[in-house]
């Protein structure tokens, strides 16, 4: 759990913002690791593209255990830190 929290903090200090796909991957793994399977209805707003994309990304993680999602999040965060560096 400490490594998961540290990875979430470290990722906030990246020198460069990750691309949209990387951000969605981080978001979905974080949500799956901290909450589990998606537990809210899909956003219905016609123009809420970002909300729908985030919900869809999280929903694709359905069935992954929280522990596995946390480990995947830590690995992804480490990869991004190695790629972009930190401030």
């Amino acid at each position: 759990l400490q490594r998961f929290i540290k990875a979430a903090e470290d990722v906030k200090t990246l020198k460069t913002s990750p691309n949209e796909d990387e951000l969605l991957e981080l978001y979905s793994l974080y949500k799956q690791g901290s909450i589990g399977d998606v537990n809210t209805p899909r956003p219905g707003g016609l123009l809420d593209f970002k909300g729908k994309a985030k919900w869809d990304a999280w929903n694709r993680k359905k069935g992954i255990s929280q522990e596995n999602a946390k480990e995947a999040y830590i690995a992804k965060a480490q990869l991004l830190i190695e790629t972009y560096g930190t401030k």
Side-chain angles (χ1 to χ4, degrees), residues 11-20 22-23 26 80 83-85 87:
V11 118
K12 294 176 187 173
T13 67
L14 292 174
K15 282 183 184 171
T16 307
S17 183
N19 68 41
E20 192 72 25
E22 291 167 330
L23 289 173
L26 270 181
L80 292 175
T83 302
Y84 296 109
K87 295 176 186 167

Side-chain angles (χ1 to χ4, degrees), residues 31-64:
K31 293 294 270 188
Q32 189 71 20
S34 55
I35 295 171
D37 289 346
V38 70
N39 60 358
T40 59
R42 188 173 191 258
L46 197 56
L47 299 176
D48 189 6
F49 300 114
K50 188 174 185 176
K52 289 178 184 176
K54 289 168 77 173
W55 190 94
D56 289 344
W58 182 12
N59 194 48
R60 284 193 291 274
K61 304 297 181 204
K62 192 173 192 171
I64 297 174

